[in-house]
Amino acid sequence: MDEQLEKAKQLFFSYQGHFFQMNRGGDSEEYKSYCVAKEVEAEWYKEMIDQVAGELSIMNWNAVSRMEAIVKYYKDSMILEKVISFVSQHIKGSDSIVKLMYAEKIIEIIRSLKNVLSDEVLHKALKVTLGTLEDIISKPLVIDPGHELKLFDLKDKKSLNNRARKNIDVLHELLG
């Protein structure tokens, strides 16, 4: 890859493909000067999604927040599929807060992608998210060190369950 294209890629990744933010950051004119083809940008989005998907973790949810941010500009169901795959494989043993945060991020990703999702992907996402929320409600409150309830606008198990139930209602709305 030549030096100019590499610089364009660095800019693209640093702004997560958000051209509005690139403009606000004062780098859009430089980026435009590289005349990057839309096909190349699409490849970069896929590369970025794969990279961020590899960073998904139950220890923190920065990566899932980045996925949520990317989906606002790049409407690809692959983003949701990668998050759902991670949640299906890794979240069962997590604390109640991690489960809630992932469920809420998935709901936002679904909202952003609602018009481009296949029925199959939508139903799989809804099933995994509903299962996660029901798991929160049915099991005792488990909080790992550093995950204080008040940091997440929660007071106790009852408030956690209420928030999970509200998210279940949102899922039903998304289906309707």
Side-chain angles (χ1 to χ4, degrees):
M1 185 180 305
D2 75 2
E3 192 175 317
Q4 284 193 332
L5 198 56
E6 185 60 40
K7 179 61 178 162
K9 185 177 182 179
Q10 288 174 357
L11 282 172
F12 185 89
F13 271 63
S14 69
Y15 287 99
Q16 298 183 127
H18 296 180
F19 298 109
F20 179 76
Q21 296 299 331
M22 195 181 294
N23 188 46
R24 289 182 68 189
D27 291 317
S28 63
E29 289 305 316
E30 179 184 355
Y31 182 81
K32 287 177 188 173
S33 75
Y34 298 125
C35 301
V36 179
K38 294 292 179 200
E39 297 80 20
V40 172
E41 288 176 349
E43 288 174 26
W44 289 350
Y45 270 117
K46 287 183 183 359
E47 184 180 333
M48 184 171 40
I49 291 163
D50 287 341
Q51 177 186 358
V52 176
E55 297 169 9
L56 289 169
S57 166
I58 61 169
M59 303 306 277
N60 70 56
W61 36 88
N62 291 337
V64 74
S65 294
R66 287 178 58 207
M67 292 290 241
E68 179 189 4
I70 292 168
V71 83
K72 302 248 187 254
Y73 291 90
Y74 188 67
K75 307 289 187 197
D76 190 329
S77 64
M78 176 178 58
I79 295 167
L80 180 60
E81 291 179 65
K82 289 186 180 288
V83 173
I84 290 301
S85 175
F86 174 82
V87 168
S88 297
Q89 296 173 23
H90 300 286
I91 206 143
K92 297 240 185 293
S94 299
D95 78 356
S96 303
I97 299 295
V98 170
K99 290 176 184 176
L100 181 66
M101 292 299 107
Y102 266 94
E104 289 181 346
K105 293 296 183 184
I106 291 169
I107 289 169
E108 291 309 312
I109 292 170
I110 291 170
R111 277 189 173 134
S112 292
L113 291 173
K114 183 119 171 57
N115 296 331
V116 299
L117 289 176
S118 69
D119 287 344
E120 178 184 341
V121 173
L122 176 61
H123 287 287
K124 183 176 181 182
L126 292 171
K127 180 181 175 185
V128 169
T129 308
L130 181 61
T132 302
L133 292 167
E134 288 173 342
D135 193 56
I136 291 168
I137 294 167
S138 68
K139 292 189 176 163
L141 177 63
V142 176
I143 302 177
D144 290 342
H147 291 170
E148 297 176 39
L149 286 174
K150 66 182 177 186
L151 296 175
F152 302 96
D153 295 324
L154 299 167
K155 294 179 183 132
D156 52 19
K157 173 70 171 154
K158 183 178 178 182
S159 65
L160 176 75
N161 286 353
N162 286 339
R163 188 150 149 194
R165 282 188 191 95
K166 285 180 185 174
N167 283 303
I168 289 171
D169 291 343
V170 170
L171 287 175
H172 289 294
E173 288 173 19
L174 287 171
L175 261 177

